[in-house]
Amino acid sequence: MGKLSDYLELIRIKNCITASFGGVIGYLISSNFEIDIFKIVLVYLVVFFICAYGNVINDIFDIEIDKINKPFRPLPSGKISLKEAKFFSFLLLFTGLFLSIFINIYALIIAIINSIFLYLYGKRYKKYKPIGNFLVGYLTGSVFLFGGVAGKNIYPVVILFLCSLFSIWGREIIKDFEDMEGDLKEGVISLPIMYKKRSLIIASFLIVIAIMLSPLPYIFGIFGISYLVLITLCDVLFIWTIIILLKNPTKKTASKVSKLLKIIMNMVLIAFLVGAVLNV
């Protein structure tokens, strides 16, 4: 049997912790920072266990290719057997779904949907990226939505979820443009492989949708002027990166833009947090 450190490596614990904090942030925004420790702990744990399940499932499906590319990982190295990993993934899934019941029915539904999507992504759509990119965008943004349904005001979190979905979806396509050569060798199907530079127009369009959605919390009177100022700055930066990308659509530019988009997305999250705290 594997050691504790092997299981922590298998679940990619840093990713699980990051995703869990995303869920807590979604809850804090939706509750206007009214602290309920019980709900915060539940949200954190459910996101942690479901994310861990997805990471284990991913490694189970990738075990053969990891024997070549990542032989040091717990499964291909034999530190954890395939049978142990399958049982562990079931245990993580059951625990996550069971705990979500104590939040509410909406949390349970999202947890079930996310578990199905994580399974499908690992089994089929990791190498068929036209759908896989959407799933990555949805799953990343959904941690905020999951935390949001535990709070009182879901509307700003729904907008944050949609902004995350579309911007991350677009960023994934840009990353695929950067990774075209490797993806071709691995037999991966992606929009850049199918449409070359035209795929960057699709990516840009998705990011523009996120930009168009971002002012809605202010327009609907959910957040105040402080949010509008910060989100406008983020939107200007988004537009700037799109212009850079479309003016010079190269692998090097795609790599640069991908990193910039990640920074701007974190700024968007800060804008939502400020909007929830100040609400003026």
Side-chain angles (χ1 to χ4, degrees):
M1 284 195 59
K3 298 178 294 183
L4 176 61
S5 59
D6 297 326
Y7 282 97
L8 293 179
E9 184 182 355
L10 181 63
I11 66 173
R12 292 177 169 85
I13 189 167
K14 290 181 181 179
N15 291 353
C16 295
I17 291 172
T18 301
S20 297
F21 275 116
V24 171
I25 287 170
Y27 167 74
L28 292 174
I29 291 172
S30 68
S31 64
N32 290 321
F33 281 76
E34 291 181 10
I35 306 298
D36 183 330
I37 297 299
F38 179 70
K39 283 189 177 180
I40 288 175
V41 171
L42 275 178
V43 167
Y44 185 94
L45 290 176
V46 173
V47 175
F48 186 96
F49 284 120
I50 297 299
C51 180
Y53 159 76
N55 289 335
V56 175
I57 282 292
N58 192 66
D59 274 21
I60 288 172
F61 286 122
D62 282 354
I63 187 169
E64 293 303 322
I65 195 168
D66 281 350
K67 286 179 180 177
I68 300 170
N69 296 335
K70 301 175 183 177
F72 54 86
R73 292 286 299 164
L75 281 181
S77 66
K79 294 175 184 175
I80 297 175
S81 71
L82 191 58
K83 184 178 179 180
E84 289 168 346
K86 287 179 178 179
F87 176 76
F88 186 46
S89 70
F90 169 78
L91 190 63
L92 291 167
L93 176 61
F94 175 82
T95 305
L97 294 179
F98 177 73
L99 290 176
S100 68
I101 295 171
F102 297 97
I103 299 175
N104 55 43
I105 185 63
Y106 303 108
L108 175 61
I109 291 170
I110 293 173
I112 291 171
I113 291 172
N114 285 17
S115 301
I116 293 170
F117 281 176
L118 285 165
Y119 180 86
L120 291 174
Y121 178 79
K123 183 177 182 180
R124 182 174 302 175
Y125 296 118
K126 189 176 182 180
K127 287 197 171 185
Y128 187 75
K129 293 188 175 182
I131 294 177
N133 292 151
F134 165 78
L135 291 179
V136 170
Y138 164 80
L139 288 165
T140 305
S142 69
V143 298
F144 303 116
L145 188 63
F146 182 84
V149 299
K152 297 176 181 178
N153 185 10
I154 188 66
Y155 298 110
V157 185
V158 169
I159 297 169
L160 174 59
F161 158 67
L162 291 173
C163 288
S164 298
L165 188 159
F166 285 108
S167 58
I168 291 168
W169 188 358
R171 181 174 179 262
E172 287 297 308
I173 296 171
I174 294 168
K175 286 168 62 182
D176 289 345
F177 186 85
E178 179 187 355
D179 297 337
M180 267 197 294
E181 291 179 16
D183 283 348
L184 278 168
K185 291 178 182 178
E186 295 289 343
V188 172
I189 298 173
S190 70
L191 288 177
I193 288 173
M194 295 166 67
Y195 301 115
K196 304 298 187 289
K197 292 180 181 180
R198 285 178 294 170
S199 64
L200 298 179
I201 297 174
I202 299 172
S204 299
F205 175 71
L206 293 169
I207 294 170
V208 167
I209 293 175
I211 292 170
M212 293 171 65
L213 290 168
S214 64
L216 292 182
Y218 175 77
I219 293 170
F220 292 154
I222 301 170
F223 293 155
I225 192 68
S226 55
Y227 168 80
L228 182 63
V229 171
L230 289 173
I231 205 66
T232 299
L233 172 62
C234 295
D235 290 343
V236 169
L237 292 173
F238 270 133
I239 293 169
W240 173 62
T241 57
I242 290 172
I243 292 171
I244 290 174
L245 182 65
L246 296 181
K247 280 183 68 176
N248 185 27
T250 64
K251 180 179 177 181
K252 185 177 180 180
T253 306
S255 176
K256 178 182 177 181
V257 166
S258 175
K259 292 173 184 175
L260 286 172
L261 286 173
K262 188 173 183 179
I263 294 170
I264 300 168
M265 288 172 195
N266 287 328
M267 291 172 63
V268 170
L269 183 56
I270 292 171
F272 272 84
L273 286 169
V274 170
V277 172
L278 298 181
N279 202 21
V280 293

